[in-house]
PDB file of all heavy atoms in Angstrom:
ATOM      1  N   PRO T 393     -20.209 -12.558  19.065  1.00 97.00           N
ATOM      2  CA  PRO T 393     -20.299 -12.745  20.520  1.00 97.00           C
ATOM      3  C   PRO T 393     -19.023 -12.851  21.278  1.00 97.00           C
ATOM      4  O   PRO T 393     -18.994 -12.637  22.511  1.00 97.00           O
ATOM      5  CB  PRO T 393     -20.991 -14.122  20.637  1.00 97.00           C
ATOM      6  CG  PRO T 393     -21.792 -14.214  19.305  1.00 97.00           C
ATOM      7  CD  PRO T 393     -20.951 -13.588  18.304  1.00 97.00           C
ATOM      8  N   GLY T 394     -17.880 -13.213  20.615  1.00 97.00           N
ATOM      9  CA  GLY T 394     -16.585 -13.206  21.232  1.00 97.00           C
ATOM     10  C   GLY T 394     -15.970 -11.860  21.334  1.00 97.00           C
ATOM     11  O   GLY T 394     -14.789 -11.748  21.881  1.00 97.00           O
ATOM     12  N   GLY T 395     -16.572 -10.779  20.788  1.00 98.00           N
ATOM     13  CA  GLY T 395     -16.005  -9.466  20.980  1.00 98.00           C
ATOM     14  C   GLY T 395     -15.313  -8.873  19.739  1.00 98.00           C
ATOM     15  O   GLY T 395     -14.919  -7.675  19.753  1.00 98.00           O
ATOM     16  N   ILE T 396     -15.037  -9.667  18.756  1.00 98.00           N
ATOM     17  CA  ILE T 396     -14.288  -9.318  17.635  1.00 98.00           C
ATOM     18  C   ILE T 396     -15.149  -8.464  16.627  1.00 98.00           C
ATOM     19  O   ILE T 396     -16.219  -8.895  16.340  1.00 98.00           O
ATOM     20  CB  ILE T 396     -13.631 -10.358  16.748  1.00 98.00           C
ATOM     21  CG1 ILE T 396     -12.773 -11.350  17.764  1.00 98.00           C
ATOM     22  CG2 ILE T 396     -12.738  -9.960  15.683  1.00 98.00           C
ATOM     23  CD1 ILE T 396     -11.649 -10.741  18.271  1.00 98.00           C
ATOM     24  N   LEU T 397     -14.731  -7.299  16.113  1.00 98.00           N
ATOM     25  CA  LEU T 397     -15.458  -6.552  15.176  1.00 98.00           C
ATOM     26  C   LEU T 397     -15.130  -7.087  13.842  1.00 98.00           C
ATOM     27  O   LEU T 397     -13.997  -7.166  13.338  1.00 98.00           O
ATOM     28  CB  LEU T 397     -15.115  -5.090  15.244  1.00 98.00           C
ATOM     29  CG  LEU T 397     -15.794  -4.127  14.195  1.00 98.00           C
ATOM     30  CD1 LEU T 397     -17.289  -4.182  14.451  1.00 98.00           C
ATOM     31  CD2 LEU T 397     -15.219  -2.761  14.294  1.00 98.00           C
ATOM     32  N   VAL T 398     -16.209  -7.596  13.135  1.00 98.00           N
ATOM     33  CA  VAL T 398     -16.146  -8.312  11.949  1.00 98.00           C
ATOM     34  C   VAL T 398     -16.930  -7.537  10.829  1.00 98.00           C
ATOM     35  O   VAL T 398     -18.006  -6.943  11.036  1.00 98.00           O
ATOM     36  CB  VAL T 398     -16.806  -9.711  11.990  1.00 98.00           C
ATOM     37  CG1 VAL T 398     -16.943 -10.352  10.673  1.00 98.00           C
ATOM     38  CG2 VAL T 398     -15.990 -10.548  12.995  1.00 98.00           C
ATOM     39  N   GLU T 399     -16.316  -7.441   9.616  1.00 98.00           N
ATOM     40  CA  GLU T 399     -16.898  -6.803   8.544  1.00 98.00           C
ATOM     41  C   GLU T 399     -17.246  -7.847   7.421  1.00 98.00           C
ATOM     42  O   GLU T 399     -16.390  -8.730   7.213  1.00 98.00           O
ATOM     43  CB  GLU T 399     -16.151  -5.674   7.984  1.00 98.00           C
ATOM     44  CG  GLU T 399     -16.638  -4.985   6.753  1.00 98.00           C
ATOM     45  CD  GLU T 399     -15.740  -3.838   6.154  1.00 98.00           C
ATOM     46  OE1 GLU T 399     -14.651  -3.634   6.802  1.00 98.00           O
ATOM     47  OE2 GLU T 399     -16.005  -3.330   5.150  1.00 98.00           O
ATOM     48  N   LEU T 400     -18.360  -7.793   6.834  1.00 98.00           N
ATOM     49  CA  LEU T 400     -18.692  -8.610   5.607  1.00 98.00           C
ATOM     50  C   LEU T 400     -18.647  -7.658   4.504  1.00 98.00           C
ATOM     51  O   LEU T 400     -19.369  -6.691   4.438  1.00 98.00           O
ATOM     52  CB  LEU T 400     -20.063  -9.315   5.776  1.00 98.00           C
ATOM     53  CG  LEU T 400     -20.113 -10.614   6.623  1.00 98.00           C
ATOM     54  CD1 LEU T 400     -19.749 -10.187   8.032  1.00 98.00           C
ATOM     55  CD2 LEU T 400     -21.562 -11.052   6.627  1.00 98.00           C
ATOM     56  N   ALA T 401     -17.778  -7.942   3.468  1.00 98.00           N
ATOM     57  CA  ALA T 401     -17.585  -6.964   2.340  1.00 98.00           C
ATOM     58  C   ALA T 401     -17.742  -7.646   1.039  1.00 98.00           C
ATOM     59  O   ALA T 401     -17.266  -8.735   0.833  1.00 98.00           O
ATOM     60  CB  ALA T 401     -16.170  -6.332   2.547  1.00 98.00           C
ATOM     61  N   THR T 402     -18.228  -7.030   0.057  1.00 98.00           N
ATOM     62  CA  THR T 402     -18.335  -7.427  -1.217  1.00 98.00           C
ATOM     63  C   THR T 402     -17.100  -7.290  -1.988  1.00 98.00           C
ATOM     64  O   THR T 402     -16.232  -6.388  -1.750  1.00 98.00           O
ATOM     65  CB  THR T 402     -19.402  -6.707  -2.025  1.00 98.00           C
ATOM     66  OG1 THR T 402     -19.147  -5.365  -2.182  1.00 98.00           O
ATOM     67  CG2 THR T 402     -20.781  -6.884  -1.384  1.00 98.00           C
ATOM     68  N   ASP T 403     -16.849  -8.191  -3.042  1.00 98.00           N
ATOM     69  CA  ASP T 403     -15.645  -8.051  -3.793  1.00 98.00           C
ATOM     70  C   ASP T 403     -15.594  -6.804  -4.745  1.00 98.00           C
ATOM     71  O   ASP T 403     -14.535  -6.300  -5.012  1.00 98.00           O
ATOM     72  CB  ASP T 403     -15.556  -9.338  -4.762  1.00 98.00           C
ATOM     73  CG  ASP T 403     -14.858 -10.519  -3.984  1.00 98.00           C
ATOM     74  OD1 ASP T 403     -14.519 -10.378  -2.822  1.00 98.00           O
ATOM     75  OD2 ASP T 403     -14.796 -11.621  -4.629  1.00 98.00           O
ATOM     76  N   GLY T 404     -16.730  -6.356  -5.189  1.00 97.00           N
ATOM     77  CA  GLY T 404     -16.834  -5.208  -6.074  1.00 97.00           C
ATOM     78  C   GLY T 404     -17.475  -4.046  -5.341  1.00 97.00           C
ATOM     79  O   GLY T 404     -17.920  -4.155  -4.203  1.00 97.00           O
ATOM     80  N   PRO T 405     -17.320  -2.972  -6.052  1.00 97.00           N
ATOM     81  CA  PRO T 405     -16.872  -2.588  -7.359  1.00 97.00           C
ATOM     82  C   PRO T 405     -15.357  -2.672  -7.550  1.00 97.00           C
ATOM     83  O   PRO T 405     -14.876  -2.566  -8.669  1.00 97.00           O
ATOM     84  CB  PRO T 405     -17.526  -1.333  -7.725  1.00 97.00           C
ATOM     85  CG  PRO T 405     -17.754  -0.510  -6.496  1.00 97.00           C
ATOM     86  CD  PRO T 405     -18.105  -1.662  -5.530  1.00 97.00           C
ATOM     87  N   GLY T 406     -14.634  -2.590  -6.440  1.00 98.00           N
ATOM     88  CA  GLY T 406     -13.210  -2.684  -6.456  1.00 98.00           C
ATOM     89  C   GLY T 406     -12.524  -1.333  -6.460  1.00 98.00           C
ATOM     90  O   GLY T 406     -13.160  -0.219  -6.663  1.00 98.00           O
ATOM     91  N   LEU T 407     -11.206  -1.360  -6.211  1.00 98.00           N
ATOM     92  CA  LEU T 407     -10.375  -0.080  -6.158  1.00 98.00           C
ATOM     93  C   LEU T 407     -10.253   0.728  -7.358  1.00 98.00           C
ATOM     94  O   LEU T 407      -9.983   1.926  -7.382  1.00 98.00           O
ATOM     95  CB  LEU T 407      -9.067  -0.412  -5.538  1.00 98.00           C
ATOM     96  CG  LEU T 407      -8.949  -0.354  -4.006  1.00 98.00           C
ATOM     97  CD1 LEU T 407      -9.873  -1.398  -3.341  1.00 98.00           C
ATOM     98  CD2 LEU T 407      -7.556  -0.520  -3.578  1.00 98.00           C
ATOM     99  N   THR T 408     -10.675   0.078  -8.501  1.00 97.00           N
ATOM    100  CA  THR T 408     -10.669   0.846  -9.828  1.00 97.00           C
ATOM    101  C   THR T 408     -11.874   1.654 -10.037  1.00 97.00           C
ATOM    102  O   THR T 408     -12.152   2.079 -11.249  1.00 97.00           O
ATOM    103  CB  THR T 408     -10.287  -0.086 -10.998  1.00 97.00           C
ATOM    104  OG1 THR T 408     -11.232  -1.155 -11.064  1.00 97.00           O
ATOM    105  CG2 THR T 408      -8.848  -0.677 -10.940  1.00 97.00           C
ATOM    106  N   ALA T 409     -12.856   1.755  -9.112  1.00 96.00           N
ATOM    107  CA  ALA T 409     -14.100   2.458  -9.350  1.00 96.00           C
ATOM    108  C   ALA T 409     -13.797   3.958  -9.623  1.00 96.00           C
ATOM    109  O   ALA T 409     -14.643   4.578 -10.212  1.00 96.00           O
ATOM    110  CB  ALA T 409     -14.906   2.332  -8.072  1.00 96.00           C
ATOM    111  N   ASP T 410     -12.702   4.477  -9.118  1.00 96.00           N
ATOM    112  CA  ASP T 410     -12.386   5.934  -9.342  1.00 96.00           C
ATOM    113  C   ASP T 410     -11.004   6.202  -9.747  1.00 96.00           C
ATOM    114  O   ASP T 410     -10.521   7.390  -9.897  1.00 96.00           O
ATOM    115  CB  ASP T 410     -12.649   6.650  -8.027  1.00 96.00           C
ATOM    116  CG  ASP T 410     -11.881   6.140  -6.851  1.00 96.00           C
ATOM    117  OD1 ASP T 410     -11.116   5.349  -7.003  1.00 96.00           O
ATOM    118  OD2 ASP T 410     -12.162   6.662  -5.713  1.00 96.00           O
TER     119      ASP T 410
END
Side-chain angles (χ1 to χ4, degrees):
I396 308 293
L397 181 59
V398 171
E399 179 180 355
L400 281 59
T402 61
D403 278 356
L407 269 64
T408 55
D410 56 7

